Amino acid sequence: MRSRGGLDTAERVLGGPVLWAGLAALTAFALAPFVWVLLASFKTRAELYATPLVWLPTSLSLANYVEAWTSKLTPFSRFFANSLWVSSVTMVATTAISVLAGYALARFRFAGRQTVMLVFLATQMFPAVLLIAPLLSQWHALGLIDTYQALIYSNFSFTVPFTVWMLVGYFESIPRELEESALMDGCGRFGALCRVVLPLAAPGVAATAIFAFVSSWSELLFAITFTSQTEMRTLSAGLLFMVGQYEIQWGQLSAGVIISTLPVAVLFTVLQRHLIRGLTAGALKG
Amino acid sequence: MAREATLARPLARPLLTRRAREVLTGYLYLLPVVIALGATVVVPIVRAIQMSLYRNVLIKPQEYGFIGLGNYARLLDDDVFWLSLWNSFYWVFGSVSLQFLGGFVAALLLHQSFQGRAAVRTLTLLPWIIPGVVVALIWEYLYQPNYGALNDLLARAGLMTDKVAWLSNPSLAMPAVIATNVWRGVPFFAIMLLAGLQAIADELYEAARVDGAGVLERFWHITLPMLRPIIVVATATRIIWTFNYADLIFVMTSGGPANATQITSTYTLLQAYSNLDFGYAATLSVVLLLIMLAFTLLYLRVTRGVEPVA
């Protein structure tokens, strides 16, 4: 739609004013809510509850952040560390499990391989609420309530089906011939996987790993169901806890919201290109 | 397959044939995934089905016992369940259709070349990546009647005289949570459709241009048909995901006011968390699962006829 010359009127209007107005509206739509909360996180109590509404804080005070980070009742430093640990371990374990499974499904011949793939697809469509009651009683019986393990294992239920499904696609797109020469050199299957297939599939593996991290970071229902102690809460559970407990402190809550958003926003911004290519490849293949 | 290697080393005969070892290795590689999903998906689903056949209210342990399809019979008579199904439909249809429209417009805009495209793309995709609780709380604050931004903006624009309590008004609560979900989901469709747009060869547009096709005709006869497969896949994925998704409503309204935003998945949570009725919660979630399985089968039938792009 953008070659030189031969533009008709409709194209000139669409490419000029309409494009710019549309982009401005789109950016405002996406960003305005963030800006509102970011501003609120710097406001003092008086500014937050003033009538008429005060839009801009007088100073960039970090008091709300300090309070949220160090609070005894809702310690965001602790929530942050919990989220980081749970999401990182989920990411590493999910990737290890899924690389092996994805490789096996892409390379070995199984009876019922198609059925297995369908099961992975269907599992992605299961409602999370279905798993809550049975998992709660399971973790309870195993004495895993208020542990990181309960959260990490539960996260597999939604990270693993997706990453396996995606990785099978990546591995299948890598020519078998490349591995066969490695196998002939006496590498063994595992050696071939590590030295030939993984480096070639690295962008795809990275994209699915980040997916596992981000979706665990966002997870809420398991986190509130399988933990009861404040010091075991993740950021999502901590934020909800903060709302439920007292009259809502919008200043501290806004600071908490920004703290919870920042890591995934930065990750996404830095890795955007890889991530999007990785995650849309599956849909493009149909 | 690597027969030379075997010929080169005719040492002791291996215990298993090459083929048998390949098969064994394959199963060995699948072992971790079988354990991981067995323990967190398969066993829990079987347990959920079993739980749905019991009266199991945590605060009434003396009533615990097998009641067969008793919970399912109760469900048929439960008005709130039927209301929640209707609300789920409203929620899914409202959210997905508006997300699709917004995402399509966004994808068409982001597909054009302009200065700072990469930055705009990243910024507009942000609502999709942040945690659901965060989305819910940001919007709860925007909707807050006294200190929220929305009422203030509307009042300043002269569009509103009395303060509106968006989330506690039964007729406004559902549109309000849908608007939040639309904000969250537009980037998903934008990303998917943008990937689809980029996969369409420029030559197609050039050829159509030479034949004298205008912008609208090119959109109608090239863009839409070429995007069809990705539209089907993205929409179906999103419908399923939205139907199952409980976080936003759970945080913003807990299904209230007066069940106005109660969808089936939040109703399940309500039964488990507030009423501690695990038997009935399991029943609701099994029904949710059956609905999703039916939809998935339908979706697989539809997509079988869709040609893959690229």
Side-chain angles (χ1 to χ4, degrees):
Chain A
M1 283 196 179
R2 39 192 139 79
S3 75
R4 313 131 281 130
L7 297 173
D8 52 44
T9 328
E11 247 171 310
R12 253 191 303 266
V13 175
L14 282 177
V18 173
L19 174 64
W20 290 109
L23 284 171
L26 179 66
T27 316
F29 174 68
L31 288 190
F34 286 117
V35 174
W36 164 250
V37 169
L38 187 66
L39 289 175
S41 72
F42 295 122
K43 288 181 191 168
T44 63
R45 223 190 130 70
E47 288 168 329
L48 283 165
Y49 300 102
T51 14
L53 218 64
V54 176
W55 278 75
L56 292 173
T58 43
S59 70
L60 290 182
S61 153
L62 292 176
N64 288 320
Y65 288 89
V66 175
E67 231 171 288
W69 193 255
T70 58
S71 153
K72 284 235 156 45
L73 282 168
T74 54
F76 271 82
S77 46
R78 177 76 199 195
F79 300 160
F80 192 92
N82 289 342
S83 278
L84 198 61
W85 178 247
V86 170
S87 309
S88 306
V89 178
T90 304
M91 174 179 79
V92 172
T94 299
T95 308
I97 294 170
S98 311
V99 162
L100 288 177
Y103 182 72
L105 288 169
R107 284 297 188 263
F108 297 101
R109 268 165 296 161
F110 289 107
R113 183 181 167 280
Q114 279 307 315
T115 320
V116 174
M117 289 301 287
L118 270 183
V119 170
F120 280 111
L121 183 66
T123 315
Q124 293 172 45
M125 309 191 169
F126 289 168
V129 294
L130 174 69
L131 303 177
I132 283 176
L135 279 179
L136 177 64
S137 75
Q138 181 173 318
W139 301 144
H140 192 77
L142 294 171
L144 289 180
I145 297 301
D146 277 322
T147 62
Y148 293 126
Q149 288 101 297
L151 298 185
I152 292 163
Y153 298 156
S154 309
N155 284 348
F156 291 160
S157 68
F158 60 87
T159 57
V160 170
F162 181 80
T163 48
V164 171
W165 176 261
M166 295 297 291
L167 286 176
V168 171
Y170 291 123
F171 291 151
E172 277 176 345
S173 71
I174 294 169
R176 276 165 191 265
E177 293 74 38
L178 292 173
E179 263 166 283
E180 268 156 22
S181 58
L183 284 174
M184 270 180 247
D185 293 344
C187 246
R189 274 289 178 187
F190 193 71
L193 167 62
C194 293
R195 272 177 249 166
V196 181
V197 180
L198 271 187
L200 288 170
V205 174
T208 54
I210 300 294
F211 162 83
F213 184 90
V214 170
S215 53
S216 318
W217 186 270
S218 307
E219 204 288 319
L220 171 71
L221 296 178
F222 294 153
I224 58 171
T225 315
F226 308 144
T227 63
S228 58
Q229 296 165 1
T230 307
E231 59 267 32
M232 289 308 294
R233 285 175 210 283
T234 59
L235 280 169
S236 286
L239 279 170
L240 192 63
F241 177 66
M242 196 170 185
V243 175
Q245 212 65 3
Y246 327 96
E247 174 212 357
I248 300 184
Q249 306 286 330
W250 288 112
Q252 265 193 59
L253 194 68
S254 300
V257 160
I258 300 294
I259 292 173
S260 312
T261 306
L262 222 51
V264 282
V266 169
L267 208 59
F268 178 67
T269 309
V270 175
L271 299 171
Q272 199 236 121
R273 194 169 291 270
H274 282 306
L275 210 52
I276 290 176
R277 202 184 307 135
L279 297 183
T280 49
L284 276 174
K285 272 185 312 208
Chain B
M1 283 211 172
R3 199 154 286 141
E4 293 86 338
T6 331
L7 287 175
R9 289 187 273 118
L11 298 173
R13 248 179 77 93
L15 204 60
L16 294 165
T17 63
R18 183 167 194 86
R19 173 90 190 104
R21 265 186 297 144
E22 280 275 305
V23 170
L24 265 184
T25 322
Y27 284 118
L28 197 65
Y29 280 23
L30 284 179
L31 193 61
V33 87
V34 169
I35 295 172
L37 291 185
T40 62
V41 178
V42 179
V43 172
I45 286 177
V46 175
R47 282 277 294 146
I49 295 169
Q50 187 198 4
M51 282 167 104
S52 73
L53 303 175
Y54 281 76
R55 183 189 299 284
N56 182 2
V57 186
L58 288 199
I59 41 171
K60 294 179 189 159
Q62 71 281 4
E63 287 179 10
Y64 180 86
F66 182 80
I67 51 165
L69 295 177
N71 283 321
Y72 291 88
R74 176 178 157 197
L75 183 118
L76 293 177
D77 276 335
D78 183 352
D79 291 341
V80 182
F81 166 70
W82 294 107
L83 174 68
S84 80
L85 264 189
W86 166 249
N87 283 343
S88 290
F89 175 75
Y90 180 8
W91 156 255
V92 169
F93 183 77
S95 300
V96 176
S97 57
L98 293 174
Q99 285 171 356
F100 173 75
L101 287 177
F104 209 144
V105 171
L108 289 173
L109 287 170
L110 293 173
H111 186 50
Q112 309 305 311
S113 54
F114 54 88
Q115 286 264 305
R117 177 165 69 166
V120 173
R121 238 180 238 187
T122 308
L123 290 176
T124 50
L125 300 182
L126 275 181
W128 181 56
I129 206 86
I130 63 174
V133 198
V134 165
V135 174
L137 292 176
I138 290 177
W139 281 77
E140 213 177 320
Y141 192 16
L142 287 171
Y143 286 136
Q144 214 284 335
N146 298 312
Y147 318 112
L150 188 59
N151 277 355
D152 188 66
L153 282 178
L154 289 173
R156 276 176 210 249
L159 295 170
M160 189 182 71
T161 44
D162 295 321
K163 286 185 167 132
V164 176
W166 298 95
L167 294 175
S168 35
N169 179 326
S171 52
L172 292 177
M174 188 58 111
V177 291
I178 287 177
T180 307
N181 199 20
V182 169
W183 181 72
R184 212 241 160 134
V186 160
F188 168 81
F189 277 105
I191 291 175
M192 290 293 172
L193 297 173
L194 187 57
L197 285 172
Q198 285 166 342
I200 303 176
D202 280 340
E203 289 78 36
L204 281 175
Y205 289 112
E206 292 303 328
R209 188 199 297 277
V210 171
D211 291 344
V215 176
L216 277 180
E217 284 167 294
R218 273 176 271 153
F219 178 77
W220 197 252
H221 293 293
I222 300 177
T223 312
L224 270 188
M226 293 297 284
L227 285 181
R228 192 176 156 255
I230 206 164
I231 290 174
V232 172
V233 172
T235 310
T237 317
R238 205 61 189 173
I239 287 174
I240 292 168
W241 194 85
T242 309
F243 189 76
N244 290 334
Y245 191 54
D247 295 19
L248 269 192
I249 291 183
F250 179 68
V251 175
M252 292 178 80
T253 64
S254 306
N259 292 321
T261 57
Q262 198 71 269
I263 58 172
T264 312
S265 53
T266 57
Y267 189 48
T268 310
L269 290 179
L270 177 85
Q271 291 298 340
Y273 292 150
S274 304
N275 301 351
L276 298 175
D277 192 340
F278 278 44
Y280 196 46
T283 308
L284 284 164
S285 65
V286 169
V287 170
L288 212 53
L289 175 69
L290 292 177
I291 295 173
M292 275 304 91
L293 280 181
F295 184 84
T296 307
L297 289 177
L298 187 75
Y299 157 73
L300 287 174
R301 279 193 74 99
V302 172
T303 48
R304 196 166 296 160
V306 178
E307 288 293 310
V309 191

